[in-house]
Amino acid sequence: NMPLSNKNGSSANCNNNTDPPKKRNARTPEEELERQIIQKLASRSYHLPGYKLFRDWAQYLFNNHPVLGICFHHKLHPLKMRQRLIILLGSFFYGVAITN
């Protein structure tokens, strides 16, 4: 805070607020973990924080398989059921069209 001079020569601070600055984007540990999981799922990561070997394999399979992913995808995965269904139907119709 830089002191400012008044007309009478006395100085005053710009900021009279003595409260410590607040963090605007402070996240709870649960929100931070969710943010990390969403980023990992979006990048098709093999490992999620807190998962063991079998659980990592199962989540990867369920999130990346075209049919299983429709029903069993992770609740935080950015692709939702409708988008997955559209992708599955598009790939099915592409396969049918290319074989004719």
Side-chain angles (χ1 to χ4, degrees), residues 34-48 59-60 63-64 74 76-79 84:
E34 282 185 8
R35 186 187 66 77
Q36 289 175 354
I37 289 176
I38 290 170
Q39 286 179 339
K40 298 263 186 188
L41 289 170
S43 66
R44 298 176 67 168
S45 179
Y46 293 105
H47 175 68
L48 293 181
Q59 72 80 21
Y60 184 81
N63 287 316
N64 294 306
H74 195 281
L76 296 175
H77 200 285
L79 282 178
R84 291 173 182 273

Side-chain angles (χ1 to χ4, degrees), residues 10-54:
S10 64
S11 63
N13 286 334
C14 293
N15 187 359
N16 292 332
N17 188 2
T18 58
D19 295 336
K22 296 179 182 177
K23 292 183 180 177
R24 293 183 182 178
N25 294 331
R27 294 186 178 110
T28 64
E30 294 83 17
E31 290 173 336
E32 183 63 28
L33 181 63
E34 282 185 8
R35 186 187 66 77
Q36 289 175 354
I37 289 176
I38 290 170
Q39 286 179 339
K40 298 263 186 188
L41 289 170
S43 66
R44 298 176 67 168
S45 179
Y46 293 105
H47 175 68
L48 293 181
Y51 282 40
K52 301 279 186 210
L53 179 67
F54 178 76

